């Protein structure tokens, strides 16, 4: 039995020597190298491949911004708490217009109709209305450019471009 063991050892001495050196080298590295001593400076470019990395061992923080795709949108969160009320603002200066009045002029058909403000008032808005299926042909302040408007002009027409019944409104304020 001893002779068989001796014969086996002589034939495999090189193999055992290689195994001892290989195991001894990794053991040396595991015992003698300090923790975290192998880093980016010790690893050649492109030396670590996907197959070399354990699945699920990397986290989002291990990647640069933009390298990972965004996941699906999550559900909306709960409503936040009511905010602190703001401070009361200061009252502004009295406006340039006093009370505002709406005046109107009815018409049945025909040319442009004007709803006018009273003397001492200025037109600050206006419009037209009808209860028919029609189009607004004219809706503008009068007298128009350059002067303070004193009324509103309006006209509504049907598909044949014929004036239809309606009403022109003007919103007036004191000057």
């Amino acid at each position: 039995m001893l002779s068989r063991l001796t014969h086996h050892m002589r034939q495999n001495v090189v193999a055992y020597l290689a195994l001892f050196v290989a195991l001894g080298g990794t053991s040396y590295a595991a015992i003698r190298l300090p923790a975290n001593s192998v880093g980016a400076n010790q690893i050649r470019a492109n030396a670590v491949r996907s197959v070399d990395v354990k699945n699920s061992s990397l986290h989002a923080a291990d990647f640069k911004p933009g390298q990972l795709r965004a996941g699906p949108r999550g559900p909306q969160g709960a409503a936040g708490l009511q905010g602190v009320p703001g401070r009361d603002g200061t009252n502004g200066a009295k406006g340039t217009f006093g009370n505002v009045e709406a005046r109107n002029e009815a018409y049945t058909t025909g040319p442009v109709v004007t709803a006018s403000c009273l003397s001492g008032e200025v037109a600050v808005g206006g419009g037209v209305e009808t209860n028919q299926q029609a189009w607004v042909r004219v809706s503008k302040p009068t007298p128009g450019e350059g002067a303070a408007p004193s009324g509103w002009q309006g006209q509504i027409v049907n598909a044949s471009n014929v004036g239809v019944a309606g009403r022109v409104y003007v919103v007036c304020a004191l000057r």
Side-chain angles (χ1 to χ4, degrees):
M1 174 83 169
L2 187 57
S3 97
R4 286 177 85 184
L5 180 61
T6 310
H7 180 66
H8 172 76
M9 290 297 283
R10 282 186 195 158
Q11 289 182 340
N12 294 303
V13 72
V14 174
Y16 282 119
L17 184 59
L19 179 64
F20 176 76
V21 169
L23 291 176
T26 57
S27 300
Y28 175 82
I31 294 171
R32 297 291 182 176
L33 289 177
N36 299 321
S37 65
V38 177
N41 293 336
Q42 288 77 27
I43 299 176
R44 289 178 291 149
N46 300 317
V48 178
R49 300 167 303 165
S50 179
V51 296
D52 299 324
V53 179
K54 181 181 175 185
N55 287 340
S56 302
S57 66
L58 297 176
H59 302 285
D62 298 323
F63 295 89
K64 293 179 184 174
Q67 285 185 314
L68 296 178
R69 289 178 296 189
R73 185 179 183 99
Q76 182 171 345
L81 299 174
Q82 178 68 33
V84 177
R87 296 181 309 173
D88 287 343
T90 58
N91 291 333
K94 183 172 171 79
T96 58
F97 299 114
N99 292 334
V100 176
E101 295 289 331
R103 308 192 191 296
N104 67 80
E105 222 31 73
Y107 62 92
T108 54
T109 61
V112 175
V113 174
T114 301
S116 299
C117 295
L118 299 177
S119 177
E121 294 179 335
V122 62
V124 294
V128 294
E129 77 161 336
T130 186
N131 60 1
Q132 299 179 36
Q133 185 174 2
W135 291 266
V136 174
R137 184 167 181 230
V138 177
S139 180
K140 65 179 185 174
T142 182
E145 298 178 30
S150 60
W152 201 268
Q153 291 182 333
Q155 183 184 34
I156 300 173
V157 296
N158 63 17
S160 300
N161 203 28
V162 175
V164 297
R167 189 169 292 277
V168 177
Y169 289 91
V170 63
V171 179
C172 304
L174 294 174
R175 291 183 190 255

